[in-house]
Amino acid sequence: MTEETTLPKGLTPDQSRALDLAATAAQTYRETLPQTGARPQVDLDTAVGRFRTPLAEEGIPEAEVIEGILNGAEGALHNMSGPTFFGYVLGGSHPVGVAADFLVSAWGQNAGSAFETPAITGMERAVCDWVIDLLGLPAQSGAGLVTGGSVANMVGIMAGRHALLADQGWDVEEDGLFGAPEIPVLIGADAHSAPFAGLRYAGFGAARATRVATDDQGRIDVAAFEAALEGCAAPPLVILQAGQINTGAFDPFAQIIPLVRARGGWVHVDGAFGLWVAAVPELADRLAGVEGADSWAVDLHKWLNAPFDAGMVIVRDRAPLVASMSARGSYLPDLTAHWEPSDSTPELSRRGRGVPSYAILRNLGRAGLREMVKRHCDLAVYIAGVLAAEPGLRVMNEVHSNQVIVSCDQDAQTMAVLERVQQRGRVYPTHGEWAGQKVIRISVIGYAMQRAHADLVASEITGAWRWYQEGAP
């Protein structure tokens, strides 16, 4: 190539216009969230039909593609990032995280390699350090940034599998599970589906786990746990919970973890949203003893409100994490003093998923994170108080964190009230089942939720209940 050679620009005019269109539409969408209905106005079949058409032989210009996506999505998006979405324990994709996510896509870095993506690695290492510190977990812990809580649970379970079998002289990474020593598995009867999925992915199977009895808040009963532990013929893998999906309750870590340690077992904590409560000094005693576990799973897209594709597995001893996850190849960079991201996750190639969380934590700081978690917990208490005061509505949980569940006397009444609230579309709580009854589940976790939004969800539910009692059709 000669000095006179002129390289083309990185973007064509149409590509630049496509980026501008997407950025403008994204900003408009977020600016209008508070005024947007809480649920889609377009049904599933209609929305799918807009997009599921034969692929044309000839391509379409970039800007036209973006315009088509925007037109097709019109009225068919759920207001999950808005302050009126109280369903499924979903964070609201904080705006500074969304802005950082733009950069992640534009930069196009393969964050699986530390050596080749130094800026991404720097930010992700900082996120791991900060989260471990904020949650009061052992500073020397290893961590991996994964897609969310389900994969974080899987990785923590697989690290525990490696350690427990290695202690019995078995290399599961080389020899697999055929003929391996048995590992007893203990888990609460009211655990979330994610750790059960992790048990399946790790080859344990969900059904063979011993499900330990729980109390009326979904916490493991200590006496029942002691009895189950006595029946273990080998050091067990024990899965505890920080934040029950319905009640928001926490297992009794300070009582259970020492019992497991005395038997040489491994304790994994599913703390997808509940672990964040440990960041608030005046609430942290609700998780007393959780730092004594061996591994923890936490979602960054829940209480941190990072955009989706953001979770973290944390392991006290990094060695079993690396042993269970790393996949070295001759074409990959050699190991160095800097740990490789791909040695702590199931992926070799991935986007820089930690960058949005870095931006959010920088934006919030310690004080901002504490304020947000505390505000949400206080709002949950307030919502529960308003609903409990309404004759005929029953709040079915003590408010341990950010979750409120409410029911009517009969399941049909509860579901009719929920359907009415969702159809009105001003707020969006979701369904659940607790203690054999249908419930309306309210999760206070979106970064922008304030007292006015708590008033709104409470008034919509009480209003729908009164509508039902008045003889709704």
Side-chain angles (χ1 to χ4, degrees), residues 75-259:
L77 296 174
H78 212 132
N79 191 351
M80 292 181 177
S81 296
T84 57
F85 188 87
F86 290 88
Y88 302 120
V89 203
L90 299 184
S93 296
H94 194 287
V96 73
V98 173
D101 219 19
F102 289 177
L103 296 176
V104 172
S105 294
W107 287 340
Q109 302 287 286
N110 176 10
S113 169
F115 175 74
E116 292 165 329
T117 56
I120 307 298
T121 297
M123 286 184 272
E124 293 194 339
R125 286 291 298 273
V127 168
C128 292
D129 292 344
W130 295 342
V131 171
I132 289 169
D133 182 51
L134 285 164
L135 301 182
L137 301 179
Q140 77 279 6
S141 299
L145 293 172
V146 294
T147 56
S150 294
V151 175
N153 277 294
M154 178 196 78
V155 174
I157 288 168
M158 292 179 76
R161 181 188 70 175
H162 177 93
L164 290 171
L165 288 175
D167 286 346
Q168 298 184 64
W170 187 272
D171 186 344
V172 67
E173 315 310 331
E174 291 295 325
D175 301 323
L177 288 171
F178 292 104
E182 287 286 321
I183 298 177
V185 177
L186 305 181
I187 188 170
D190 289 309
H192 189 267
S193 61
F196 283 109
L199 291 171
R200 298 202 324 268
Y201 303 152
F204 285 116
R208 66 178 294 276
T210 298
R211 304 190 186 204
V212 183
T214 54
D215 66 11
D216 63 353
Q217 300 299 305
R219 298 169 294 207
I220 289 178
D221 179 81
V222 176
F225 182 83
E226 289 177 323
L229 191 61
E230 283 300 314
C232 294
L237 169 66
V238 175
I239 300 173
L240 303 181
Q241 186 168 225
Q244 206 283 331
I245 192 66
N246 288 303
T247 68
F250 307 94
D251 281 330
F253 306 113
Q255 295 169 272
I256 289 177
I257 291 176
L259 299 175

Side-chain angles (χ1 to χ4, degrees), residues 33 37 82 95 134 156 163 204 224 230 251 291 298 319 323 415 429 437 457 466:
L33 273 178
L134 285 164
F204 285 116
E230 283 300 314
D251 281 330
E291 70 282 355
V298 62
M415 298 312 292
Q437 286 187 259
V457 72
R466 293 168 187 172

Side-chain angles (χ1 to χ4, degrees), residues 284-331:
D285 60 346
R286 300 178 186 184
L287 293 88
V290 73
E291 70 282 355
D294 298 284
S295 59
W296 305 263
V298 62
D299 254 326
L300 304 177
H301 73 245
K302 291 192 185 298
W303 232 324
L304 187 59
N305 280 253
F308 283 102
D309 186 20
M312 184 183 297
V313 59
I314 303 168
V315 182
R316 174 186 296 274
D317 179 2
R318 185 170 167 259
L321 172 63
V322 173
S324 60
M325 289 294 110
S326 62
R328 312 302 309 166
S330 60
Y331 62 93

